[in-house]
Amino acid sequence: MSKLKIEIHSFSYKKGGIPKDESGNGGGFAFDCRGILNPGRVEEYKLQTGKDSGVQEYLERQTEMPKFLETIHNLISITIDNYIERGFGNLQINFGCTGGQHRSVYAAEKTAEFIRKKYPEVEVIINHDEQPQLNGHF
């Protein structure tokens, strides 16, 4: 049985749109983070990303992001369990927001952490499509 590879993307709806699934499976999940308050509209966070502690604290304390992600993590767990059981090789999970800088980066990072903790047997690859400088770790 092959190891499940989960590719997670943060992206911008305005710039690139939903990332193409290069695995040949034709897609996966796409979650729209634009319903969460945007820290990019707060002056002190404009130049930061979802990996910066100020942005993370804002999203965790001032928005519905924790509840949003809890719901998503419950939903994707159903599919991950099923894909592992059936021996599937690939799953793509995409998080989009306006600029692909704050909310989607945060959601992608937290989801990667969740999957790595709950499913240590799967491979997780994270891509921040609008923030290539953040892609140095997998």
Side-chain angles (χ1 to χ4, degrees):
M1 224 196 283
S2 63
K3 182 177 185 177
L4 178 62
K5 179 173 84 173
I6 300 176
E7 196 169 322
I8 301 173
H9 288 261
S10 68
F11 70 94
S12 164
Y13 277 101
K14 277 186 157 182
K15 298 173 187 170
I18 298 173
K20 183 170 178 11
D21 179 7
E22 302 295 340
S23 75
N25 290 334
F29 291 103
F31 296 106
D32 188 344
C33 300
R34 293 175 293 182
I36 304 295
L37 286 174
N38 187 357
R41 298 196 181 274
V42 178
E43 195 59 44
E44 66 182 293
Y45 304 134
K46 278 190 180 181
L47 299 177
Q48 295 182 14
T49 73
K51 287 183 72 169
D52 289 301
S53 60
V55 171
Q56 291 178 358
E57 287 173 22
Y58 176 89
L59 287 168
E60 289 163 8
R61 295 190 179 132
Q62 305 293 319
T63 76
E64 295 288 330
M65 183 63 86
K67 189 176 6 174
F68 180 74
L69 286 180
E70 180 183 357
T71 302
I72 288 169
H73 294 167
N74 288 334
L75 177 66
I76 64 173
S77 291
I78 294 167
T79 296
I80 294 169
D81 290 339
N82 182 275
Y83 278 24
I84 290 170
E85 186 179 308
R86 294 168 66 197
F88 284 17
N90 297 285
L91 175 63
Q92 187 165 315
I93 304 170
N94 304 297
F95 292 94
C97 62
T98 307
Q101 181 178 339
H102 299 97
R103 296 165 291 182
S104 62
V105 167
Y106 175 88
E109 289 288 331
K110 292 300 177 186
T111 299
E113 280 177 28
F114 166 78
I115 294 169
R116 286 179 178 131
K117 186 176 181 184
K118 185 170 181 180
Y119 301 98
E121 70 276 22
V122 307
E123 178 185 0
V124 177
I125 298 170
I126 191 163
N127 293 293
H128 298 296
D129 294 3
E130 301 301 330
Q131 306 298 318
Q133 77 277 12
L134 301 180
N135 288 338
H137 74 292
F138 293 121

